């Protein structure tokens, strides 16, 4: 009998993280991994495109929760996932990252009592094993919804798989060392696996961009985009960067720009969110990436592309300590000073330990040991 693991994905950054895990599970006959798509993101450009680009198998179940306030969305995820867990009776539930789907499903799984107890290396389990991939990251900013999701998910999880040493330090401080394993970064597994295919994307020509001749912008954090004054000021500062700027716009941000009536100069190309391969191609050849994304800080570090992070804090400090990232906040002077330093940053950067394309294989190997009675 194989160990049944429900793997949860719901929002854009989850798909890059779940793809290599599903591949690693599929290569190990001891596991029966099933993908549950919560439907937190539902637009084709935030969801379907990644199934195509990353060859992710069709979900076993789609919960189709859609958008809502935090409480509404998380509650809907929990209600619908509880019915799935009741029907599936899984041995494990694996969640990735820090979105509402992550915390909602972890909470349901950690209270679910199975019809039949089962044995793992450490004894008898009456509930599914809750597994968190990308555990231990902390921004220490409780105004950030993701920080709440991280704290709660890590508190509930039985196994914590960590991408960078700082995450292990955070978990040690929270008394979770015995549950934590430093395994590397599954998002980088996906990047390394898709890199050759991404380089074939025609997106530079399609957008009329020159290699290393443009800046790439992404923005979707509520702290940057939900306040019209902050958003207007930030976009005005970015307009001072003396490069053509290409901006694949998240739907949340698209709505805010429209509501605020912000008009941008000819320097900007505002486009729809891109698929993974096109976005990776654009990132690889950008002169600089200006972003508030979590995952993009990591990808730019591995690609050796300068990244300016438009936030006051990061849960991924290794990208600044070792990689190409500069954490600058949103003040004009700091952004422009960081832009002036991008060549120095690129020269000094290195790729963090264990960001080598093999994190998912390490996780599945550790799970094999954990589940073996
Ligand atoms: C969510 C995650 C965030 C992650 C981001 C990745 C939480 C709390 N937030 O933020 O951590 O960095 O995804 O992109 O889980 N919308 C659409 N189409 C969609 C999905 C959303 O138009 O397919 C619009 C809706 O107006 C929605 C808004 O975007 O209200 C925000 O969506 P939501 O999933 O709540 O949060 P994100 O900002 O996408
Ligand atoms: N990404 C993408 N298309 C885009 C913008 C981002 O494929 O138009 C990818 C990016 O390469 C990374 C992931 O989406 O793999 C990051 O997701 P996002 O920034 O939405 O979320 P966060 O990482 O901030 O939670």
């Amino acid at each position: 009998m194989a160990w049944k693991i429900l793997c949860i994905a719901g929002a854009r950054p989850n798909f890059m993280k779940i793809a290599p895990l599903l591949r690693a599970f599929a290569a190990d006959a001891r596991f029966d991994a099933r993908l549950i798509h919560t439907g937190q993101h539902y637009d084709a450009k935030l969801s379907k495109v990644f199934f195509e680009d990353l060859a992710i198998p069709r979900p076993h179940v789609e919960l189709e929760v859609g958008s809502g306030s935090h409480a509404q969305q998380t509650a809907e995820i929990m209600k619908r996932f509880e019915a799935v867990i009741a029907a599936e009776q899984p041995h494990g539930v694996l969640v990735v990252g820090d979105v509402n789907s992550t915390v909602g499903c972890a909470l349901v799984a950690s209270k679910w009592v199975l019809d039949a107890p089962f044995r793992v290396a450490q004894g008898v389990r009456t509930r599914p094993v809750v597994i968190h991939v990308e555990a231990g990251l902390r921004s220490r900013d409780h105004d950030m919804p993701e920080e709440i999701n991280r704290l709660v998910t890590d508190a509930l999880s039985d196994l914590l798989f960590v991408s960078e040493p700082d995450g292990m330090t955070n978990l040690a401080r929270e008394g979770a060392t015995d549950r934590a394993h430093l395994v590397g970064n599954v998002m980088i597994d996906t990047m390394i696996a898709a890199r050759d295919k991404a380089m074939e994307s025609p997106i530079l020509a399609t957008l009329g961009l020159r290699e290393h001749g443009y800046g790439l912008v992404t923005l979707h954090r509520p702290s940057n985009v939900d306040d019209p004054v902050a958003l207007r000021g930030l976009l005005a500062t970015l307009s001072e960067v003396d490069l053509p700027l290409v901006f694949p716009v998240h739907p949340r941000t698209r709505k805010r720009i429209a509501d605020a009536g912000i008009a941008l100069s000819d320097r900007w190309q505002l486009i729809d969110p891109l698929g993974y391969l096109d976005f990776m191609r654009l990132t690889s050849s950008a002169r600089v990436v200006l972003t508030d994304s979590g995952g993009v800080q990591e990808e730019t570090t591995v690609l050796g592309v300068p990244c300016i992070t438009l936030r006051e804090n990061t849960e991924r400090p290794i990208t600044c300590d070792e990689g190409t990232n500069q954490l600058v906040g949103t003040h004009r002077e700091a952004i422009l000073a960081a832009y002036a330093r991008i060549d120095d940053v690129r020269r000094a950067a290195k790729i963090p330990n264990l960001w080598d394309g093999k994190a998912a294989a390490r996780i599945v190997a550790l799970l094999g040991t954990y589940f073996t009675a």
Side-chain angles (χ1 to χ4, degrees):
M1 184 207 59
W3 297 303
K4 187 191 281 189
I5 313 289
L6 300 185
C7 298
I8 313 300
R12 175 165 69 186
N14 294 165
F15 303 121
M16 300 76 188
K17 295 169 196 172
I18 216 74
L21 289 160
L22 291 172
R23 268 201 308 280
F25 278 127
D28 188 330
R30 295 174 298 171
F31 291 99
D32 169 13
R34 300 180 177 197
L35 175 61
I36 311 298
H37 186 339
T38 66
Q40 176 174 347
H41 283 177
Y42 42 86
D43 283 355
K45 287 174 177 159
L46 294 186
S47 172
K48 184 166 176 276
V49 66
F50 302 107
F51 284 77
E52 292 160 4
D53 279 5
L54 305 176
I56 301 173
R58 277 172 71 95
H60 182 61
V61 178
E62 301 198 37
L63 303 180
E64 298 180 349
V65 297
S67 303
S69 69
H70 284 279
Q72 282 167 349
Q73 187 176 60
T74 310
E76 208 53 55
I77 290 165
M78 291 179 66
K79 274 158 62 183
R80 297 187 191 196
F81 183 57
E82 191 173 55
V84 175
I85 211 169
E88 295 284 335
Q89 299 287 318
H91 300 97
V93 171
L94 182 150
V95 297
V96 296
D98 55 17
V99 302
N100 287 345
S101 302
T102 312
V103 70
C105 293
L107 187 48
V108 171
S110 59
K111 291 193 197 173
W112 184 260
V113 179
L114 294 163
D115 291 349
F118 65 102
R119 190 168 277 286
V120 297
Q122 293 176 1
V124 174
R125 297 253 349 160
T126 54
R127 294 171 292 111
V129 179
V130 182
I131 305 153
H132 186 204
V133 175
E134 200 186 86
L137 300 184
R138 299 287 180 266
S139 65
R140 297 186 175 78
D141 175 0
H142 286 225
D143 289 335
M144 194 182 180
E146 294 80 1
E147 183 72 354
I148 310 300
N149 294 345
R150 293 181 199 115
L151 286 163
V152 175
T153 304
D154 286 346
L156 298 173
S157 297
D158 297 292
L159 286 170
L160 300 165
F161 291 118
V162 180
S163 54
E164 59 171 271
D166 196 68
M168 296 297 280
T169 309
N170 295 331
L171 291 170
R173 202 175 290 132
E174 294 167 22
T177 300
D178 54 342
R179 295 182 280 139
H181 303 267
L182 184 65
V183 291
N185 191 327
V186 287
M187 201 162 216
I188 302 307
D189 289 11
T190 286
M191 212 188 73
I192 290 174
R195 196 146 57 178
D196 289 349
K197 216 164 143 198
M199 291 315 282
E200 291 166 15
S201 155
I203 190 75
L204 262 72
T206 308
L207 298 176
L209 298 168
R210 275 190 311 107
E211 290 271 352
H212 310 300
Y214 60 92
L216 174 61
V217 177
T218 84
L219 291 173
H220 68 275
R221 297 259 94 85
S223 58
N224 280 337
V225 307
D226 283 3
D227 172 1
V229 176
L231 179 59
R232 188 183 292 279
L234 183 54
L235 292 172
T237 298
L238 298 186
S239 300
E240 293 187 48
V241 170
D242 59 350
L243 289 170
L245 294 171
V246 56
F247 183 10
V249 191
H250 188 288
R252 174 183 208 107
T253 312
R254 170 82 66 185
K255 188 167 179 313
R256 301 300 182 203
I257 291 174
D259 289 351
I262 297 171
L264 291 166
S265 70
D266 290 352
R267 172 161 290 174
W268 291 84
Q269 272 198 71
L270 270 61
I271 57 176
D272 282 345
L274 290 168
Y276 184 80
L277 300 173
D278 287 340
F279 188 76
M280 196 50 52
R281 179 73 189 88
L282 269 192
T283 306
S284 310
S285 292
R287 175 138 172 74
V288 62
V289 175
L290 301 126
T291 189
D292 59 13
S293 163
V296 172
Q297 296 173 56
E298 299 179 337
E299 292 164 344
T300 45
T301 270
V302 174
L303 291 167
V305 174
C307 179
I308 296 178
T309 295
L310 306 163
R311 289 173 42 187
E312 301 299 336
N313 48 63
T314 180
E315 59 290 330
R316 293 161 160 92
I318 203 167
T319 59
C320 299
D321 297 342
E322 296 188 9
T324 57
N325 194 14
Q326 298 184 73
L327 180 69
V328 303
T330 52
H331 292 298
R332 176 180 178 277
E333 290 69 24
I335 294 170
L336 297 177
Y339 177 56
R341 283 195 301 269
I342 57 176
D343 289 325
D344 300 340
V345 167
R346 183 196 290 112
R347 277 191 288 271
K350 66 175 198 185
I351 296 177
N353 188 31
L354 300 177
W355 291 20
D356 58 358
K358 297 176 187 155
R362 282 186 205 104
I363 290 170
V364 171
L366 282 164
L367 289 175
T369 309
Y370 183 90
F371 276 95
T372 302

